[in-house]
Amino acid sequence: MLSAIKQNDAAVFDLIEAEQARQGISIRMIPSENYVSRAVMQATGSCLTNKYAEGYPGKRYYEGQQMTDAIENLARDRAKALFGAEAANVQPHSGSPANLATYCALAEPGSTIMGLALPHGGHLTHGWKVSFTGKFFNSVQYELNAETGRMDYDAIAKLAKEHKPQILISGSSAYPREIDFSKFAEIAESVGAYHVSDMAHIAGLVAGKQHMSPVPYSDVVTTTTHKTLRGPRGGMILCKEEHAAAINKAVFPGMQGGPHMHTISALAIALGEAAAPEFADYAAQIVANAKRLADKLMGYGFDLVSGGTDNHLILIDLRNKGLVGKPLAKAMDKAHLVCNYNSVPGDTAGPFNPSGLRLGTPAITTRGMKEDQMDLVAGWINTIAENLEDDAVISKVAREVQDLCNQFPLPESFIQPG
Ligand code: DSN
């Protein structure tokens, strides 16, 4: 697959090959990352990258759309069937443009939107002040309950009554608990707001019936396609039919030009994979692994935000250990245990040196790892946290990690030919 790159551009080939090797010998626990199947990967590298297809199926601005129309319709139909949605737009280049397009479809610039604050697990595009979503709109941010580390639906309702947002956003990037989308729908209805849900992190868990679906409770649902859903890098919007025209107009021509048809073809494949019965087993194992890892980490005295997890991710608050996130994340990376440092609710440290660590199980579950392997991972994290400056200890962990990765190669259909 990479032979032409090797022949034409040795510099890029060497870097891709090195990255493939790094992914092979790493326990990848950034909760938004995964491994895609060989079929999904091949579609992203297909001739569809050569095609412009501005517009929508049946109404394009360039000719030669015989195949692209069929592909986009297939992706849309599979998305609607998988998630039980009335309408789907598969063109957003990723989650951030999907969110901005959605807000622009439902509200005028300057209107009030309300989402979860970034340090409490929200996404930048839920109205955080450095994002255009926090600049173009009057953004009000809700926070987690300081005691429980969980959504405080009464407090959210109170804030919504006070500010009367045009759009209430549910969903998160670093919240380890199940979100009750029905409560968000009730709050939105009580103040006359649209309910927009961003299910980017949990889309695969929703598809695999391991998390409540936001679709029946939302006007619009946005998502990326490459996290737990295990598709190509991209975005997607699902909505009620009454919003479909406004959403389509906001994505194209409002926000984007030509859709990435190679990505859309890969998304169609990934949606087909997610509809297969074994995907539900995969989603269930993601959650089982995260719960086991959380239990073991708590056994080592780690303080987890909300006291555990219901989904694919874990947020460690390191303050009780006298640690901060970045040095631990960097030491773990040396041992090929890859995660990210992260703010935790109530963090007074800045975003470049926050007090938390965010871990997730989607990628290691794709490798076939189960609860027993989570026990090893928890032990290694603890060993590194206790020996941050000790290179000999870190090297020993790195060798053990590599041994485990060798025992858990990717399943055959996920291995990319070199
Ligand atoms: N950057 C993603 C994440 O890691 O959660 C969110 O878009």
Side-chain angles (χ1 to χ4, degrees):
M1 194 180 177
L2 301 179
S3 59
I5 308 177
K6 188 173 186 179
Q7 214 172 352
N8 289 4
D9 196 323
V12 174
F13 174 77
D14 288 348
L15 289 168
I16 295 176
E17 200 181 43
E19 171 62 12
Q20 192 152 311
R22 185 195 69 82
Q23 292 186 13
I25 59 159
S26 300
I27 304 235
R28 300 174 54 232
M29 291 184 291
I30 293 174
S32 43
E33 291 186 353
N34 213 328
Y35 298 93
V36 296
S37 71
R38 187 159 59 217
V40 167
M41 190 70 87
Q42 283 182 355
T44 66
S46 73
C47 61
L48 285 157
T49 203
N50 299 334
K51 187 71 194 111
Y52 252 118
E54 274 159 300
Y56 289 99
K59 195 172 173 226
R60 307 275 192 193
Y61 291 83
Y62 305 137
E63 297 312 312
Q65 309 293 351
Q66 294 81 357
M67 271 53 79
T68 47
D69 276 9
I71 287 167
E72 188 166 345
N73 280 330
L74 197 56
R76 293 202 295 201
D77 289 347
R78 287 183 182 179
K80 287 192 280 181
L82 183 64
F83 291 105
E86 292 175 14
N89 185 309
V90 293
Q91 295 196 2
H93 296 329
S94 202
S96 295
N99 284 346
L100 188 51
T102 297
Y103 307 157
C104 292
L106 300 178
E108 291 298 320
S111 326
T112 300
I113 63 170
M114 195 172 131
L116 180 61
L118 183 78
H120 286 250
H123 189 255
L124 277 168
T125 59
H126 296 173
W128 192 240
K129 51 189 176 294
V130 300
S131 155
F132 287 132
T133 59
K135 294 180 196 292
F136 295 168
F137 294 92
N138 172 39
S139 172
V140 175
Q141 302 268 273
Y142 56 88
E143 299 187 343
L144 299 181
N145 181 290
E147 300 296 312
T148 62
R150 294 183 186 232
M151 296 282 172
D152 185 337
Y153 298 101
D154 291 340
I156 297 167
K158 195 162 164 250
L159 202 65
K161 281 206 170 55
E162 191 183 330
H163 293 279
K164 303 247 173 329
Q166 182 91 0
I167 298 173
L168 176 63
I169 304 153
S170 61
S172 62
S173 287
Y175 182 62
R177 294 298 183 175
E178 182 156 29
I179 296 174
D180 188 339
F181 295 112
S182 70
K183 292 208 165 109
F184 274 100
E186 270 173 38
I187 297 168
E189 198 184 349
S190 74
V191 297
Y194 291 117
H195 177 205
V196 171
S197 184
D198 178 347
M199 67 165 180
H201 264 261
I202 55 164
L205 303 186
V206 171
K209 309 238 176 308
Q210 300 301 312
H211 193 294
M212 174 190 233
S213 171
V215 174
Y217 303 106
S218 310
D219 292 286
V220 180
V221 176
T222 65
T223 185
T224 50
T225 49
H226 47 269
K227 297 185 172 98
T228 47
L229 190 57
R230 217 161 57 177
R233 296 301 287 238
M236 181 165 74
I237 302 174
L238 308 171
C239 65
K240 304 241 180 283
E241 190 57 47
E242 66 190 273
H243 300 303
I247 290 288
N248 287 345
K249 206 168 152 198
V251 173
F252 172 85
M255 184 77 59
Q256 297 183 175
H260 294 176
M261 291 310 305
H262 54 306
T263 302
I264 291 171
S265 69
L267 174 59
I269 295 168
L271 291 166
E273 291 174 357
E278 50 273 26
F279 193 86
D281 300 337
Y282 164 64
Q285 191 63 50
I286 290 177
V287 176
N289 284 351
K291 283 180 185 291
R292 180 66 161 257
L293 185 56
D295 285 347
K296 289 287 161 181
L297 287 168
M298 288 190 289
Y300 288 114
F302 286 101
D303 182 15
L304 305 192
V305 172
S306 82
T309 183
D310 298 328
N311 58 26
H312 63 301
L313 74 80
I314 291 164
L315 192 56
I316 308 178
D317 183 339
L318 292 163
R319 289 177 289 189
N320 71 326
K321 296 255 182 197
L323 296 170
V324 282
K326 197 193 282 193
L328 179 54
K330 289 199 174 295
M332 284 170 57
D333 190 44
K334 281 195 215 161
H336 313 301
L337 292 160
V338 188
C339 64
N340 68 277
Y341 54 88
N342 213 92
S343 294
V344 291
D347 211 339
T348 48
F352 288 111
N353 200 20
S355 305
L357 210 62
R358 190 181 67 148
L359 308 167
T361 53
I364 51 182
T365 305
T366 295
R367 286 186 88 128
M369 293 185 189
K370 296 207 164 119
E371 286 88 335
D372 285 351
Q373 289 72 50
M374 299 307 110
D375 297 352
L376 294 172
V377 171
W380 289 326
I381 293 171
N382 185 52
T383 300
I384 293 177
E386 289 180 344
N387 297 276
L388 268 188
E389 308 289 338
D390 191 331
D391 283 343
V393 171
I394 292 172
S395 297
K396 181 167 175 288
V397 173
R399 285 192 296 279
E400 291 168 2
V401 167
Q402 196 161 349
D403 279 351
L404 185 68
C405 288
N406 289 340
Q407 289 167 44
F408 286 86
L410 280 168
E412 175 65 23
S413 60
F414 282 71
I415 295 171
Q416 309 300 327

